[in-house]
Amino acid sequence: MDADSDVALDILITNVVCVFRTRCHLNLRKIALEGANVIYKRDVGKVLMKLRKPRITATIWSSGKIICTGATSEEEAKFGARRLARSLQKLGFQVIFTDFKVVNVLAVCNMPFEIRLPEFTKNNRPHASYEPELHPAVCYRIKSLRATLQIFSTGSITVTGPNVKAVATAVEQIYPFVFESRKEIL
Amino acid sequence: MTGRVCRGCGGTDIELDAARGDAVCTACGSVLEDNIIVSEVQFVESSGGGSSAVGQFVSLDGAGKTPTLGGGFHVNLGKESRAQTLQNGRRHIHHLGNQLQLNQHCLDTAFNFFKMAVSRHLTRGRKMAHVIAACLYLVCRTEGTPHMLLDLSDLLQVNVYVLGKTFLLLARELCINAPAIDPCLYIPRFAHLLEFGEKNHEVSMTALRLLQRMKRDWMHTGRRPSGLCGAALLVAARMHDFRRTVKEVISVVKVCESTLRKRLTEFEDTPTSQLTIDEFMKIDLEEECDPPSYTAGQRKLRMKQLEQVLSKKLEEVEGEISSYQDAIEIELENSRPKAKGGLASLAKDGSAEDTASSLCGEEDTEDEELEAAASHLNKDLYRELLGGTPGSSEATGNPEWGGRPPALGSLLDPLPTAASLGISDSIRECISSQCSDPKDASGDGELDLSGIDDLEIDRYILNESEARVKAELWMRENAEYLREQREKEARIAKEKELGIYKEHKPKKSCKRREPIQASTAREAIEKMLEQKKISSKINYSVLRGLSSAGGGSPHREDAQPEHSTSARKLSRRRTPASRSGADPVTSVGKRLRPLVSTQPAKKAATGEALLPSSPALRAEPARPQAVLVESGPVSYHADEEADEEEPDEEDGEPCVSALQMMGGNDYGCDGDEDDGY
C-alpha cells in the first residue's frame, strides 16, 4: 500500500468518442460526392469522414447526428468536431453545432508489476469476472463511475469510461486492489 | 364394517368393494355409493408372477405427469404458464445434461438455477436454449465438472461468446461466484479421449505435473484452459512414447493449431523445458517466470531501445562522414575553382534541386568529384530551406518565398498546406473570401470558429470538376441501385394514383404511458379505461354515463316507465353519493336541472291536467315522460330539444339537455341495476 505514492502512473488516452448534432438534415449523397476523405455506406445510410488534424473519423448520419472517434483528448475531440461541422458548413448545410458531448473515453495504463488474475478475481468478486475461456483479461466494473477496466496479467489495464476524469478516478480506485494481488518479486 | 347406515332399510351392514368401487347394503341390496375413489395401494400380479404397485408416481414439484381427469382433453388447462415454462426448462435441461453426461444432482442444481432465472425474469429477451446452457455451465463451474463452454456451444450450435454473455449475466444477477477455471480439471477428460490405453493414468499425471509447472510459470493466466491442456498433454504423450500429432490433440481440445504451437514455444522458453524427463519428474524449480506476454513486451521494449541507440550512433557516424565531406569539398574548391563557380551560379539561379540533380545526372559519368560537390551543395541548400534562414530565401531568389517566411515554417508541418505547394495567390483569394464567410457563419451563432483553419477544410471539399468526376463515377457504380430506386418511386407513384398504395406504418413506439393522476378512484379508473380498452365487450358509453355528465347516451323512453321512475329515485340517490363529493356544486346543479327543464316541456306537450301544486318534486319530472311515450319519440325529440335550448344556455353546458341527461342517468342506472342483480 505504501507504494501508492511513489509511482506515477501514466494514463495514456487512446480514444475519445464524442457526439454532436447539426440540427439539420444532411444530404449524404451530396457529402459523399463533394467531400474528400469520405466513404459513403449507402446500405447502412451513413458517411464516414476522416480528418487529418486532429486525426479523427466521423460517422455522419442523415439525421444530422455525428459521432467522432479517434481523438486523444477531450479538447481535441471538441476541436475535431468543430472542424467537421465547419467542413459540413462549407458543403452548404445550415449547420448548428449543438449537443456536443463526450460519450466514451478509452485509456491504457501500465502497472509496473504483473497481476495474479485468479487471486484478484477471488478478492473482488462481485465486480470482477475472469473467464479465460472467453477473454484473457479480468473485467472489472465500477458502477458508480460507469467505468469498465480490463485487467491483464501483464499489468496493463485498459479503461473505458464516460469521460477522462472518470477514467482517471477508476485507475486510482483500482490501483490498491491490483497492488494487493501483484506478483511478488522474488 | 363402516359406521354408516343404509338409507333404504336402516341396516348397518354395508359392504365396501374396493375393486368395483361401490358400497352395497347387504340387507336390502341397494347400492349406496358407486365409483368411490380409493386411497389405498394396490398391487397387481404381472404375467411373470411378480407383483407391482398400481398407479404412478407424482413428483414433488408436480412437474411430471399429473393424472388428468379430463382424459387429456384440456391437458394444460389448469396449469399456469410459469409452470409450463419450468416444465419445458426441466425437459431441456435433462436433454442437454444427458448429452453432457451430467449426473442427476447437477441437473437438479441446474434446474434450480433456471427457476431462479425465471423468477427474476432473466429469461426474457433471451433464447431458452441459451439460458439453459448458461444454467448448466454454471453448475459445471460450481461443481467443478470437466465441461467447457465450448462443449455446450458445440451441442447447441451457438456462438460461444453469446453463451458466455448469457452465462456472465446469469452469474452476476444470481450472485453466484463461480470459482475460476482450473485447467487441471480437463486433463483426465482429454487424456481419456486421446486413448492412451493402460498408460492413461501415468500420462495424465505427467500432464498434470506439466500443467502445474506452467501455472507457476505464469502461462495459464489469461489463457484458454483447453489450449494449455493440449500443450501439456502433447508433451506428456511424447514423454511416454506415444505418437500423438498436433492435429490429433487439437481435434480433442478444440483449439487452433497456432494456439497450441504458441503454448509450446512459450513452454520452451521456460527454464523447465531445459530439464531432461527424469530431471523434470524429480526437480521442482523454485523460480517463477514472468508471463510470456510480459517478457515478449519487455523484449520488444529492449529492441526499441537498442534501435534508438543504434540510430543515435548512426547519426554520429553520419556527422563524421559529412565533416569529411566538407573537408573534401574544401579541397575541391581549392583545386577546381572554375567548376565551383559554375555550380554556384546554377544554385543562384534558384532553380532549386531539380536542375542541380539533373546536372549531376549528366555529369556523374564525367566527374565523380564534381558530383560529390554538387550533392553536398544541394544538401546545404535543403538545410537552409528547412531552417528558414533569410539567406536561403535570397538564394532561392523567389520573391514570393521571400515575402512569406512563415510559409517556409509550414514546410516543417507534417501536413502539406496550400502555402507549401506555392498556391499563395489562390490562398489570398480564399482568405479574402473567408472575410465575408464569417457573416453567414455567424448565422448559426453556435459554431465557434476559433482555431479552425479554413484553408485546410477547403481541402476536404472537392472542387467542381473533381466533384463532377466523382459524381459520374458514383452514378456509374451505383447505376443499378439508382435504377431500382427510380423504379420503386415510379411504382409507388403508380400505386398512389390507383389508390392502392399502402404506406408503411411506422412501428408503434412503445411510449411510456403517463402516470395516471386522479383525485378519486373513479376518475382513476376512467382514465385507465381510456388508456387501455380492457374489453371490446364493455359498453364504454354506458360507463361514461354512469360516472358523470353522461352526454350522448341513447334514449330509452320505451323502457318501462314505472321502472324509470323508481330508477330515477335510485339514481338521484346514487349519483351524488358515487361522485364522492369531488364536485358537490355540479352535482347539485344536475339534480336541480330536471326540475327546471321539465316545466316548459309539460306545457308544450299535451294539455294534460297536472296537479298544480305538484306535491312530490321527484315524481313530477317522471310524469311527462311517461305520457310522452305515446306521442312517439321523434316529435318528442323535437319538442324537447326546442324546449331545452334555454335552460341549456343557462347551465352553460351546450350539448347535454336536461332530459337527455336524465335519460342518460336512467339508462346508466338500468345498467347499474342489471349489473347488480
Side-chain angles (χ1 to χ4, degrees), chain A residues 32 34-37 42 52 79 82 86 89-90 95 98 114-115 125 130-134 136 154 183, chain B residues 137 141 149 177-178 218 222-223 290-291 293 434 437 444 448-451 454 458 460 462 470 478 481:
Chain A
E34 291 183 20
N37 284 355
R42 201 195 57 216
R52 287 166 104 186
F79 182 53
R82 281 197 289 119
R86 180 70 184 146
Q89 227 172 42
K90 289 229 161 189
V95 173
T98 48
E114 289 113 78
I115 301 157
R125 232 2 168 141
Y130 171 51
E131 295 299 324
E133 277 194 77
L134 301 171
T154 54
K183 183 195 169 189
Chain B
Y137 184 66
R141 285 290 291 277
L149 202 52
N177 294 333
W218 278 75
R223 263 66 197 275
D290 287 334
S293 52
Q434 243 76 99
D437 233 58
D444 59 42
D448 177 19
L449 287 176
S450 61
D454 271 337
D458 276 337
Y460 288 119
L462 300 174
K470 196 173 180 186
N478 295 287
Y481 164 75

Side-chain angles (χ1 to χ4, degrees), chain B residues 408-653:
Chain B
L408 278 168
S410 69
L411 256 181
L412 288 170
D413 212 309
L415 253 178
T417 56
S420 70
L421 297 175
I423 44 166
S424 42
D425 283 359
S426 57
I427 287 168
R428 273 198 205 118
E429 279 171 26
C430 277
I431 289 169
S432 59
S433 69
Q434 243 76 99
C435 294
S436 59
D437 233 58
K439 278 171 206 160
D440 58 46
S442 65
D444 59 42
E446 297 193 48
L447 180 56
D448 177 19
L449 287 176
S450 61
I452 292 181
D453 186 2
D454 271 337
L455 311 180
E456 228 183 294
I457 284 167
D458 276 337
R459 298 170 56 75
Y460 288 119
I461 297 162
L462 300 174
N463 63 31
E464 243 174 65
S465 62
E466 281 173 323
R468 211 167 39 238
V469 169
K470 196 173 180 186
E472 206 173 285
L473 270 174
W474 193 85
M475 292 294 178
R476 209 180 299 154
E477 202 164 291
N478 295 287
E480 190 149 319
Y481 164 75
L482 290 169
R483 193 167 46 79
E484 274 170 22
Q485 286 289 313
R486 262 199 302 277
E487 274 171 17
K488 201 174 165 188
E489 264 168 38
R491 204 187 63 228
I492 288 170
K494 205 176 166 191
E495 279 181 359
K496 262 183 184 162
E497 237 171 62
L498 294 171
I500 54 166
Y501 177 66
K502 265 187 246 162
E503 267 189 57
H504 289 288
K505 276 179 198 163
K507 265 187 191 170
K508 267 186 193 170
S509 57
C510 38
K511 264 188 268 170
R512 191 173 289 167
R513 285 204 193 90
E514 286 168 31
I516 297 170
Q517 285 180 338
S519 50
T520 65
R522 176 176 288 272
E523 219 175 303
I525 289 170
E526 220 176 287
K527 280 186 179 167
M528 186 267 287
L529 284 174
E530 240 168 68
Q531 273 189 0
K532 47 176 177 182
K533 299 245 171 195
I534 286 178
S535 163
S536 58
K537 302 211 168 60
I538 296 173
N539 191 341
Y540 286 94
S541 58
V542 174
L543 273 179
R544 232 167 282 135
L546 243 186
S547 54
S548 60
S553 59
H555 285 276
R556 268 178 61 177
E557 288 84 17
D558 318 56
Q560 313 90 332
E562 318 88 88
H563 185 211
S564 72
T565 340
S566 65
R568 200 169 302 119
K569 278 178 194 163
L570 246 176
S571 80
R572 289 266 170 69
R573 248 180 296 125
R574 235 174 244 197
T575 30
S578 58
R579 221 173 282 129
S580 74
D583 41 4
V585 183
T586 54
S587 70
V588 167
K590 266 167 201 159
R591 223 188 309 173
L592 283 173
R593 217 178 303 154
L595 307 182
V596 180
S597 61
T598 42
Q599 294 289 349
K602 74 185 167 195
K603 271 182 222 157
T606 57
E608 202 191 332
L610 272 169
L611 290 171
S613 57
S614 67
L617 273 174
R618 278 180 195 170
E620 196 185 36
R623 279 274 183 92
Q625 208 183 17
V627 176
L628 277 168
V629 174
E630 294 156 12
S631 66
V634 184
S635 61
Y636 171 76
H637 259 286
D639 281 350
E640 180 206 23
E641 250 142 10
D643 293 333
E644 248 47 6
E645 220 61 72
E646 294 147 36
D648 270 353
E649 277 162 14
E650 284 167 20
D651 281 338
E653 248 184 276

Side-chain angles (χ1 to χ4, degrees), chain A residues 74 102-105 145 161-169:
Chain A
E74 288 188 7
V102 173
V103 287
N104 199 351
V105 174
L145 293 172
N163 53 47
V164 172
K165 208 171 151 231
V167 164
T169 17

Side-chain angles (χ1 to χ4, degrees), chain A residues 150-165:
Chain A
Q150 305 283 345
I151 301 160
F152 290 84
S153 60
T154 54
S156 69
I157 296 177
T158 312
V159 197
T160 50
N163 53 47
V164 172
K165 208 171 151 231

Side-chain angles (χ1 to χ4, degrees), chain B residues 234-420:
Chain B
L234 190 73
V235 176
R238 300 257 164 101
M239 279 161 80
H240 285 274
D241 298 329
F242 281 105
R243 224 184 101 82
R244 292 283 177 272
T245 60
V246 176
K247 245 184 200 160
E248 281 171 313
V249 174
I250 63 172
S251 69
V252 167
V253 297
K254 289 176 186 125
V255 291
C256 183
E257 189 178 335
S258 62
T259 314
L260 195 63
R261 283 201 189 286
K262 241 181 207 164
R263 291 299 101 81
L264 286 173
T265 45
E266 277 167 15
F267 184 62
E268 201 180 294
D269 288 339
T270 61
T272 319
S273 66
Q274 305 306 319
L275 304 175
T276 64
I277 295 174
D278 290 337
E279 276 174 338
F280 173 73
M281 295 316 253
K282 280 175 207 147
I283 305 168
D284 268 329
L285 288 178
E286 276 307 308
E287 83 260 37
E288 287 182 6
C289 281
D290 287 334
S293 52
Y294 181 75
T295 42
Q298 292 291 325
R299 204 177 299 147
K300 229 182 253 170
L301 214 81
R302 228 173 298 139
M303 287 293 277
K304 214 177 252 174
Q305 277 173 350
L306 250 171
E307 240 168 57
Q308 270 177 357
V309 169
L310 274 177
S311 63
K312 217 176 254 172
K313 271 187 185 165
L314 214 77
E315 267 172 34
E316 277 171 28
V317 171
E318 268 179 359
E320 229 172 280
I321 288 171
S322 66
S323 70
Y324 283 129
Q325 251 176 353
D326 277 343
I328 290 167
E329 196 220 349
I330 290 163
E331 282 292 309
L332 276 170
E333 265 178 52
N334 292 342
S335 61
R336 287 200 171 195
K338 270 180 194 170
K340 186 234 156 194
L343 274 171
S345 67
L346 269 173
K348 259 174 206 160
D349 260 359
S351 52
E353 89 273 21
D354 297 37
T355 44
S357 62
S358 64
L359 200 100
C360 291
E362 285 162 20
E363 288 188 348
D364 67 349
T365 46
E366 297 169 13
D367 200 339
E368 282 178 356
E369 284 174 312
L370 198 70
E371 184 204 344
S375 70
H376 187 67
L377 253 177
N378 280 338
K379 201 183 271 173
D380 274 2
L381 213 142
Y382 280 139
R383 210 171 289 153
E384 278 171 335
L385 259 175
L386 292 172
T389 53
S392 74
S393 62
E394 276 168 28
T396 46
N398 194 336
E400 282 283 331
W401 289 91
R404 302 171 58 84
L408 278 168
S410 69
L411 256 181
L412 288 170
D413 212 309
L415 253 178
T417 56
S420 70

